[in-house]
Amino acid sequence: MMTPQDIIRKVRELEIKSKRLTDHMFAGEYHTAFKGRGMTFKEVREYQAGDDPRFIDWNVSARMGHAFSKVFEEERELTIYLLVDVSASSLFGTFKQTKIELITAICAVLAFSAVGNNDKASLISFSDKVDKYMPPKKGRDHVLHIIEELLRFTPNAANTRLLKALEFVTNVSKHKSIIFILSDFADAGYKDVLKVAARRHDIIGIQVYDRRDKQLPRMGLIQVRDAENGDMVWLDTNDLATRTYYNEQFLKMKNEAKTAFRDAGCDLLQIATGEDYVKALQEFFIRRA
C-alpha cells in the first residue's frame, strides 16, 4: 500500500509527464478529435476575400451599402467522464505495472487534455456498484484530486458491473458528453445499456489487460484465486488443455468487448500493461480527427 508521501510523489510525477504530453503531443489532436456541441453566432464583419458567400448577412449588407459576413465560433465546452473499473482484478499486473496503474496514467493524460482545452472532467469509479463520483469541474487542482483518488483506492468488491456505472452516468449527465470506460471488461450484461447510452453520448472503451491474462505460464500445479468471484481453484499449468482453455477465455473476453462496442457504434482501444499507451492514444486521436 502506498504511503501518503508515495502518493504525493506519484501525483507529481504523473502531472509532469501528462502535462508535457498534453502540451506538446495531444493538444491539437484532442481538440480535433472531440468536437464541441455546435457553432454559435459571434459577430458580423466586412466581407473578406475567401469568405463563404452563404454566410453573407444580407440585411446588414443592405443597410451599410457593402457586403458583411456572419462569423461563427465553436461552442467548445465539453464534459469528459472517466468511468474507471476498481474491482479486484484491476490490481493484477505482471509486467511493469498493474492494470489500475496503467488506467491511472491514461486518466491523467485524458483529464489534463480536457482541462487544457477548457473542458470539464469527472471521475466515476465502479466495481459491482458506483464507488465514487467526482462531479465535472475544470482546473488543475481538480485533475490532481482525480489522480490522487485513483492512487489511493482499495477495491471494495471483487465483481465488475459496468451496467451500474453506465446507468449512473446516463442519469447525471443531461447533455451529450465524452465518456471513457477504462476496464478489463471481465463482465457481461452491459451490451444493451451501452447501446442506449451511446445514443446520447460519445463513448470510448479502453480495455486494459496483462500478458498473463492472455497466456498462462508453465508453473506446475498451483492454487489461484479468481479476482472477480473469489473462488480458489487448482490449476495444472503444465497441462496443454488447461493453458489452451485459459487463452480461449481471454480471447472470448476481448472479442465480446469488441462486439459490444462495435454494435453500439463506439470506439474501443485495447492496451496491455507495460505497453506504450502514449502511442496508442495519439494514434486514436489522429484516427478520429
Side-chain angles (χ1 to χ4, degrees), residues 247-279:
N247 178 252
E248 288 174 347
Q249 291 301 109
F250 169 77
L251 294 176
K252 178 183 177 183
M253 184 176 68
K254 285 189 72 177
N255 289 331
E256 285 179 348
K258 281 183 180 180
T259 300
F261 277 80
R262 183 194 64 218
D263 291 349
C266 304
D267 291 311
L268 176 69
L269 288 75
Q270 295 173 312
I271 307 175
T273 55
E275 188 177 332
D276 186 355
Y277 68 90
V278 174
K279 180 181 178 182

Side-chain angles (χ1 to χ4, degrees), residues 195-253:
K195 286 182 180 179
V196 172
R199 293 174 191 156
R200 179 190 296 177
H201 303 294
D202 186 357
I203 299 178
I204 302 97
I206 301 180
Q207 185 174 31
V208 299
Y209 62 94
D210 188 82
R211 60 183 179 179
R212 291 307 181 201
D213 289 330
K214 179 179 181 180
Q215 187 174 19
L216 197 63
R218 291 174 179 263
M219 299 173 60
L221 191 64
I222 61 172
Q223 190 177 32
V224 297
R225 181 187 298 274
D226 187 315
E228 289 292 327
N229 60 35
D231 292 344
M232 297 295 295
V233 296
W234 286 96
L235 290 180
D236 181 2
T237 60
N238 291 335
D239 179 61
L240 177 60
T242 297
R243 296 201 312 275
T244 300
Y245 177 76
Y246 187 90
N247 178 252
E248 288 174 347
Q249 291 301 109
F250 169 77
L251 294 176
K252 178 183 177 183
M253 184 176 68

Side-chain angles (χ1 to χ4, degrees), residues 48-266:
Q48 298 176 4
D51 284 355
D52 191 329
R54 293 175 299 174
F55 297 140
I56 293 176
D57 189 320
W58 295 107
N59 290 331
V60 174
S61 298
R63 282 201 313 271
M64 302 301 294
H66 55 280
F68 276 75
S69 292
K70 296 178 181 178
V71 178
F72 297 86
E73 64 181 358
E74 182 182 10
E75 190 180 359
R76 172 65 222 181
E77 185 179 292
L78 297 171
T79 298
I80 306 296
Y81 286 91
L82 302 171
L83 272 61
V84 175
D85 179 357
V86 293
S87 61
S89 63
S90 65
L91 292 176
F92 183 68
T94 64
F95 186 53
K96 293 185 179 180
Q97 60 192 164
T98 63
K99 295 177 190 177
I100 192 62
E101 287 171 342
L102 173 59
I103 285 173
T104 301
I106 294 172
C107 283
V109 170
L110 295 174
F112 274 116
S113 294
V115 300
N117 278 268
N118 203 36
D119 295 335
K120 296 178 181 179
S122 169
L123 172 67
I124 299 173
S125 60
F126 68 96
S127 50
D128 58 352
K129 64 183 185 306
V130 172
D131 293 293
K132 181 77 174 182
Y133 172 50
M134 296 177 62
K137 290 183 182 178
K138 299 180 182 180
R140 168 182 174 270
D141 289 346
H142 180 60
V143 174
L144 295 180
H145 191 188
I146 288 175
I147 296 171
E148 182 179 352
E149 181 66 30
L150 290 174
L151 291 173
R152 288 184 182 276
F153 110 96
T154 53
N156 295 318
N159 299 325
T160 301
R161 291 292 308 278
L162 175 56
L163 180 148
K164 296 291 186 181
L166 285 170
E167 289 177 341
F168 182 87
V169 73
T170 300
N171 288 331
V172 299
S173 179
K174 303 304 180 184
H175 303 286
K176 181 177 179 179
S177 303
I178 313 298
I179 298 175
F180 286 92
I181 306 172
L182 300 100
S183 171
D184 57 12
F185 294 100
D187 188 19
Y190 61 86
K191 294 181 180 181
D192 291 340
V193 72
L194 178 63
K195 286 182 180 179
V196 172
R199 293 174 191 156
R200 179 190 296 177
H201 303 294
D202 186 357
I203 299 178
I204 302 97
I206 301 180
Q207 185 174 31
V208 299
Y209 62 94
D210 188 82
R211 60 183 179 179
R212 291 307 181 201
D213 289 330
K214 179 179 181 180
Q215 187 174 19
L216 197 63
R218 291 174 179 263
M219 299 173 60
L221 191 64
I222 61 172
Q223 190 177 32
V224 297
R225 181 187 298 274
D226 187 315
E228 289 292 327
N229 60 35
D231 292 344
M232 297 295 295
V233 296
W234 286 96
L235 290 180
D236 181 2
T237 60
N238 291 335
D239 179 61
L240 177 60
T242 297
R243 296 201 312 275
T244 300
Y245 177 76
Y246 187 90
N247 178 252
E248 288 174 347
Q249 291 301 109
F250 169 77
L251 294 176
K252 178 183 177 183
M253 184 176 68
K254 285 189 72 177
N255 289 331
E256 285 179 348
K258 281 183 180 180
T259 300
F261 277 80
R262 183 194 64 218
D263 291 349
C266 304

